[in-house]
Every structure is written in C-alpha cells, then in structure tokens.
Amino acid sequence: MKPLRENQTLIKGKSGKMLTDLKKSIPLTLMALPGILLMIVFKYLPLSGIILAFKRFNVRDGIFGSEFIGWNNFKFLFMSSDAWVITRNTLLYNLAFIALDVILAVAFAIILNELLHKKRAKLFQSIYIAPYFLSWVAVSFVAYAFLSTDNGLINRLLLTVGEESVSWYADSKWWPIIIIIFEVWKTVGYSTVMYMGALTGIPNDYYEAALVDGATKWQQIRHITIPCLRTMMLVLVTLAIGRIFFSDFGLFYQLPRNSGPLFSVTNVIDTYIYRALKETGDIGMSAAANLYQSVVGFVMVVGVNLIIRKVDKESALF
C-alpha cells in the first residue's frame, strides 16, 4: 500500500503544480488569444478552400457542391504558353533579390556598425529603412516621375545631352534592372536593421583579442563579424527560399503600371493568378496556381533546412 500512496501523493503534487502553472499563465494566454484567433480564422479555416484547386467552381453549387475535375486545373496551368514565362520570371527575380539582399544588407550593417559617430549611424539607419514603409502605389508614382515618356526626369536628361527619349513603359529590355533596383532600394534597409541587431550580440572581447593579436579591421570583419552573422544569414535565406515561388504583387503590378508590352519580363505567378481571376473568373485555376506555389515553397524550406542541418546543425530552423 505504501508505494500506492506515494504514487498518489506524487500525482497530486504534479497536478497541483500544473494547476499553479496554468493560473500563472492565464494573463499571458489571454494576451495571446487575439493573435491565436486571428491565426485560426485567417490561416487555418481557409485551408478548406484547397479543394477548389480540384474543382470547376460554380457559385450556385458552392465550394463543396461544384464538379470535381481532379488535376485538370493544374494541366491547364502548366500547358498554357505563359507557364514557362511566369515560372522563369518568378525564380530568377527572387534569386537576384535574395543574393543582393544578403550581400548589401550585411555590407551596410557592418559599415554602420563601424561608424564611430553613433548619432550619424542612427541617421543613416533611418534613411535606409524609410523606403520599406512606402507602399508600392506611392513608389510607382515616384518611378513614373523618373520614367514618364513625356515629362520624366531621365528622358529630359537624355534630351539635354542630345540623346533620344526612351519609351520606358513600352520597352521591356530595361525592366529587369529597374525592378531589381527598386526592390533592393525598398527592402534592403529592413534586412540591414536585422543584421545590426545581430551585430550587437557579438562580444567586444572577440575584437579586443583580435586587436592584441594585431588583426586589421578587414581581418576582424572576415574572421569575427561575418562568421558570427552566419546563423542569421542562413535563417533569413532559408525563409526567403521558402517564398521563392511567391512575388511581391505590388512590385510587379503597380511599378510597371500593368503595361502589356512589359508582361514578358514583369508577369510572375502572383500577377498571372490575379489577371486570370479578374479576366476569366476561373477560381479553380487560380486556386491550383496558388496551391502550386505553397507546396513548392514548403518543399524548398524543408529541403534547404535539411542541407543546412548536414552542414551546420545549430543554424537549422528545425
């Protein structure tokens, strides 16, 4: 009987501790509740709509009553003439964004961190991050002020030096560069701030020891700063690769002002889905394209994370 009583006492002690812990966490749970509800309503409940990717949607029959057509929506998507173009554009642009974002953000973060005048560093930091808070609608008007065929600043400068004006919104060859420039200008400041936060966690003892050993500033950056930023870099790159099949809709729709002659270099999966839904009303095909994006993104995150785990287990997301 004695072991039984001891077990009962142990169980009561554990249950009592659990109740105490629950009471202590009630305020935190209540604070988290609105976020949890939003997550359930906007992230988990809409998952039932995945079935639309396999149906010919009819408003009268509803989501679950519409005709089931299997993989036909996916066949229509991948057999269309635009499938290769939108996939190529989405992948190549995102690869360029990821590479430039890492290189420039790390470089700017190190430069700002090395500035001795900290008030000046904060000023530059504010200047870098300010474009991030502008909407693409506002940025598109800024771009139009530069690229307008008749009154654009760039064309006025070209005419001043005796060159012909360029029809920027009808000539597609310049737009890969224009899109990359505006994307980097708008987003690199946010990544810079994140890397600067990581830099503050590097102990000064490392740099003091390097100075004692006679290391130059470049050697300190190469052997201390960059290795200490590696984990942050791998996490951000992994998350970015997970969205490699997604694009910033505003960038590719608002910035080129939905110009038809530019579709060959500005049409990506997100804008294709929007135009298909707007022009044809084919909800099933749009749902199929969106599911395709999500599945590929999930596979990419898992795959990249597995590679990182083999190289450096501590830097993996999970």
Side-chain angles (χ1 to χ4, degrees):
M1 293 296 291
K2 188 175 180 180
L4 182 60
R5 288 178 182 175
E6 289 179 355
N7 288 336
Q8 289 175 345
T9 304
L10 186 62
I11 292 170
K12 286 181 180 179
K14 287 183 177 180
S15 60
K17 186 177 182 301
M18 188 179 296
L19 288 173
T20 304
D21 291 340
L22 285 174
K23 288 179 181 179
K24 288 181 180 179
S25 62
I26 285 175
L28 294 175
T29 304
L30 291 175
M31 289 173 63
L33 192 59
I36 294 171
L37 291 175
L38 285 173
M39 182 69 71
I40 292 171
V41 171
F42 292 104
K43 296 295 183 180
Y44 288 99
L45 291 181
L47 286 175
S48 60
I50 289 175
I51 196 173
L52 282 173
F54 305 95
K55 292 199 170 192
R56 182 179 287 111
F57 180 71
N58 186 303
V59 177
R60 182 177 298 175
D61 297 328
I63 294 176
F64 299 101
S66 298
E67 178 189 359
F68 183 81
I69 57 173
W71 298 96
N72 287 354
N73 285 325
F74 293 91
K75 290 178 182 177
F76 178 80
L77 172 66
F78 292 114
M79 291 178 68
S80 68
S81 58
D82 296 324
W84 160 246
V85 173
I86 62 175
T87 302
R88 178 202 64 192
N89 289 345
T90 305
L91 279 174
L92 293 181
Y93 277 124
N94 278 322
L95 286 173
F97 296 159
I98 292 169
L100 289 174
D101 184 76
V102 172
I103 294 170
L104 294 177
V106 171
F108 289 156
I110 293 172
I111 291 169
L112 291 176
N113 190 61
E114 294 297 329
L115 284 177
L116 298 177
H117 199 293
K118 295 305 177 185
K119 288 185 178 180
R120 191 174 298 169
K122 289 182 179 179
L123 174 63
F124 287 137
Q125 182 179 331
S126 301
I127 293 172
Y128 286 153
I129 200 172
Y132 179 79
F133 299 102
L134 296 175
S135 70
W136 280 113
V137 176
V139 174
S140 70
F141 283 104
V142 174
Y144 188 73
F146 283 91
L147 304 176
S148 173
T149 304
D150 299 324
N151 300 311
L153 178 60
I154 295 178
N155 276 343
R156 284 181 175 273
L157 292 174
L158 289 174
L159 292 173
T160 303
V161 297
E163 298 290 336
E164 293 184 1
S165 62
V166 178
S167 298
W168 297 101
Y169 291 95
D171 191 350
S172 62
K173 69 178 181 180
W174 301 104
W175 277 89
I177 299 172
I178 293 171
I179 285 175
I180 291 172
I181 289 173
F182 273 94
E183 166 67 16
V184 170
W185 168 75
K186 191 174 185 298
T187 60
V188 75
Y190 181 77
S191 300
T192 299
V193 172
M194 297 183 70
Y195 285 118
M196 286 192 70
L199 285 173
T200 59
I202 302 176
N204 287 328
D205 296 345
Y206 293 173
Y207 296 104
E208 291 172 1
L211 283 172
V212 171
D213 291 338
T216 63
K217 182 60 67 176
W218 169 245
Q219 288 174 330
Q220 293 175 37
I221 292 171
R222 183 181 175 185
H223 297 289
I224 298 175
T225 307
I226 293 178
C228 288
L229 288 177
R230 186 176 64 175
T231 300
M232 172 69 78
M233 292 165 64
L234 289 174
V235 169
L236 293 181
V237 168
T238 303
L239 293 174
I241 288 175
R243 293 190 60 81
I244 201 168
F245 267 71
F246 289 81
S247 303
D248 192 329
F249 178 81
L251 169 62
F252 291 97
Y253 187 82
Q254 297 290 350
L255 189 65
R257 306 180 75 84
N258 197 27
S259 176
L262 306 180
F263 281 178
S264 61
V265 294
T266 62
N267 202 14
V268 290
I269 296 175
D270 293 85
T271 55
Y272 180 79
I273 294 170
Y274 174 78
R275 292 187 182 109
L277 187 59
K278 183 180 178 181
E279 295 172 9
T280 67
D282 193 341
I283 295 176
M285 193 273 290
S286 300
N290 200 258
L291 181 60
Y292 164 62
Q293 283 181 296
S294 302
V295 171
V296 171
F298 173 76
V299 171
M300 292 292 289
V301 168
V302 174
V304 172
N305 190 72
L306 287 174
I307 294 171
I308 293 173
R309 281 183 67 87
K310 290 184 178 180
V311 177
D312 183 5
K313 191 174 181 180
E314 296 298 324
S315 300
L317 285 175
F318 47 87

